[in-house]
Amino acid sequence: MDQIGSTEWVEQNLLNLGSEVVAYLNVDCAVQGPGFFAAATPQLDNLLIEVAKKVQDPDSESMTIYDNWMITNKVINIQRLSGVDSDFSPLLQHAGVPSVDLYYGRDFPVYHTAFDSYNWMTNHGDPLFQRHVAVAGVWGLLALHLADDPILPFNYVSYIEQLWNYTNLLRNLGERYCIPAPYNCIHSGTHLCSRRS
């Protein structure tokens, strides 16, 4: 329950967040090992991809993070922030703030243990701190674009595509299992969003 503090803070500052915050860049476990992973709300996908094309991959001098991402995964796989496992959760789920979470590595075996230390990082996680530099570069460029671009670099077309996918999935599941739901209202709402994006 380490999100109690951030949840309380969001609840106390909800009115200000709506008028003063454009996005939240989550910094939790920046480096856990090799491999770049990203999760974001869909309107940040294009910005994240463009930034990844500008930052050198720490594990290959001749490639950017984007290049290595494509080689490793064959597609750009930006996960969605559906969990409640970090401080982005209350900002996204309570305040609706577009969010991104970036990190290197998966399955951090020493997270929140006595071994979660500088010593572990220098011996196992990122001995030369090159992955830390790369993640900081991505976060920094994201922040610069969000702060300085004359028009916020949000792309709601990808967001609408996600809404349509989930709308159709919900309708299909509801029809398969005979679950009554206001599918026409959901479809109308998604259609309205599509026209306005």
Side-chain angles (χ1 to χ4, degrees), residues 100-117:
V100 65
D101 187 25
L102 309 169
Y103 54 95
Y104 266 88
R106 286 213 174 171
D107 303 322
F108 192 26
V110 298
Y111 186 57
H112 286 316
T113 70
F115 299 103
D116 188 354
S117 66

Side-chain angles (χ1 to χ4, degrees), residues 43-52 141-142 145-146 149 153-154:
Q43 69 269 46
L44 292 168
D45 288 355
N46 288 0
L47 177 60
L48 186 54
I49 290 167
E50 289 308 310
V51 165
L141 287 173
L142 286 171
H145 281 287
L146 290 165
D149 283 6
F154 293 160

